[in-house]
Amino acid sequence: MKGIDYIKNDFIGYLIITEEEDGISSIKQCNEKPKIEIKKSLEVEKCKKQLEEYFSGKRKSFDLKLDMRGTEFRKKAWNELLKILYGETITYGEQARRLGNPKSSRAVGQANGDNKILIVVPCHRVIGKNGKMTGFSSEGGIKIKEYLLELEKNNK
C-alpha cells in the first residue's frame, strides 16, 4: 500500500481512501472515525482535495490514477460508469446495452455493487429501470446514493 487517509463529510460520514501501486484502489464509506494508521501519498492527498471540491459543488469530474481490480467484465462495467456525466443517471439495462450485452443487467448490478472506488467511479448514477433507487454498497446505503444524486442535481 502506497497511501491511506480519510476525509469526513457531514452527511456521509467518513471516506477511507487507499492507494495501491497503480493508483486509488478504494474509497470506502464508514460511519465511525476510522482507526487507521495514516500513510501520506501524493495521490491520496489529491483524491482528498478533489472529493472536498466535489462535496462543495466545485468539481464535476475527477482526475486521478485508479487501480481498479477485478475481472475483465467488472473493469469494463466500472469504466462505463466513468462515462456517465455528472448529474445524469442511467439504468442498469442501459449500462448493459452500452457494454454490448443487453441481457447482462444483473451482472452489471453485481459489478457495480462490488465497485471499491465510491463516488469517483460513480455507481451511484445507475438506477433501476422504474426510476427507483436500488442498492448502494456502503454502510449508508440508498440514503447516500440519494444524497449524491441530489448534490449533483443541485450543482449541475
Side-chain angles (χ1 to χ4, degrees):
M1 174 188 336
K2 280 183 151 180
I4 186 167
D5 204 345
Y6 65 88
I7 67 167
K8 184 177 190 291
N9 172 277
D10 289 337
F11 185 86
I12 290 180
Y14 296 90
L15 292 170
I16 303 170
I17 305 160
T18 305
E19 179 188 10
E20 298 292 340
E21 293 306 310
D22 295 325
I24 301 299
S25 57
S26 75
I27 298 174
K28 180 183 174 193
Q29 184 272 335
C30 62
N31 295 326
E32 303 293 321
K33 185 175 181 180
K35 294 178 175 95
I36 59 170
E37 186 175 325
I38 294 171
K39 185 176 180 184
K40 299 285 184 184
S41 77
L42 292 176
E43 200 65 18
V44 168
E45 290 302 309
K46 185 177 174 184
C47 184
K48 283 175 59 175
K49 183 177 189 285
Q50 289 187 20
L51 283 168
E52 288 165 357
E53 292 169 349
Y54 170 84
F55 288 123
S56 70
K58 295 176 184 164
R59 178 167 288 276
K60 310 284 191 265
S61 63
F62 295 90
D63 177 27
L64 300 164
K65 290 188 292 181
L66 302 178
D67 189 355
M68 295 189 278
R69 297 177 180 202
T71 65
E72 285 308 308
F73 176 80
R74 287 175 182 230
K75 288 179 189 176
K76 286 178 186 175
W78 299 332
N79 277 304
E80 195 60 43
L81 293 171
L82 295 170
K83 297 174 186 176
I84 306 169
L85 299 177
Y86 181 94
E88 301 294 323
T89 59
I90 65 169
T91 65
Y92 293 96
E94 175 61 24
Q95 185 181 0
R97 280 189 289 285
R98 290 179 181 188
L99 290 170
N101 190 347
K103 295 182 180 183
S104 67
S105 58
R106 282 202 173 135
V108 163
Q110 290 174 333
N112 291 358
D114 287 338
N115 170 28
K116 304 280 187 257
I117 309 174
L118 298 180
I119 302 168
V120 172
V121 179
C123 55
H124 62 277
R125 295 181 187 154
V126 183
I127 60 175
K129 68 179 173 182
N130 56 5
K132 289 191 176 179
M133 297 298 128
T134 57
F136 189 68
S137 58
S138 73
E139 289 183 24
I142 299 292
K143 289 181 182 179
I144 290 179
K145 186 172 189 165
E146 291 171 338
Y147 167 78
L148 295 171
L149 291 173
E150 191 66 23
L151 174 83
E152 291 182 11
K153 181 178 136 189
N154 291 335
N155 290 300
K156 207 168 174 186

